[in-house]
């Protein structure tokens, strides 16, 4: 009942990537460093009775993400990106204080 999106391209180790997953209507797009790298179609209401998997695929670890994630946002009712874009180069929104 869900949508799995396979992204194109490879990923270098020891490098940061800007990821964005945006839904507009029934189209879900994945952008990596501002370039659309995959898409899927779904009419499911994401997040209600359907869970969202970040960095993995339901029922298996063979698609598990091995890395770090930072600066996570969930926006409701807004497709922040629908076409290729220039990703931000500085922290957006809240400023974080390092833990001591």
């Amino acid at each position: 009942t869900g949508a799995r999106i396979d992204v194109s391209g490879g990923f270098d180790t020891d490098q940061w990537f800007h990821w964005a997953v945006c839904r507009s209507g029934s189209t879900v797009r994945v952008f990596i460093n501002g370039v659309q790298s995959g898409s899927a179609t779904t009419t499911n209401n994401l997040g209600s009775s359907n869970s969202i998997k970040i960095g993995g695929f339901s029922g298996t670890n063979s698609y598990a993400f091995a890395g770090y994630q930072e600066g996570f946002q969930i926006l409701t009712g807004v497709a922040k990106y629908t076409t290729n874009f220039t990703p931000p180069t500085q922290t957006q929104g809240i400023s974080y204080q390092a833990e001591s």
Side-chain angles (χ1 to χ4, degrees):
T1 61
R4 184 180 102 183
I5 303 173
D6 293 317
V7 297
S8 60
F11 300 99
D12 296 330
T13 57
D14 298 324
Q15 183 176 342
W16 285 96
F17 292 90
H18 180 276
W19 286 70
V21 180
C22 302
R23 177 178 175 174
S24 178
S26 62
T27 304
V28 181
R29 295 176 181 89
V30 174
F31 297 92
I32 300 174
N33 292 334
V35 177
Q36 184 174 327
S37 299
S39 66
T41 301
T42 183
T43 56
N44 289 341
N45 185 9
L46 303 176
S48 60
S49 62
N50 301 300
S51 59
I52 299 172
K53 305 286 189 245
I54 300 169
F57 186 67
S58 181
T60 181
N61 286 328
S62 62
Y63 298 102
F65 174 77
Y68 299 97
Q69 297 182 26
E70 180 181 298
F72 192 80
Q73 290 182 335
I74 295 178
L75 305 175
T76 302
V78 176
K80 188 168 184 177
Y81 307 113
T82 56
T83 60
N84 292 350
F85 61 94
T86 300
T89 58
Q90 297 181 0
T91 301
Q92 297 179 323
I94 300 171
S95 295
Y96 296 95
Q97 179 178 346
E99 295 180 9
S100 54

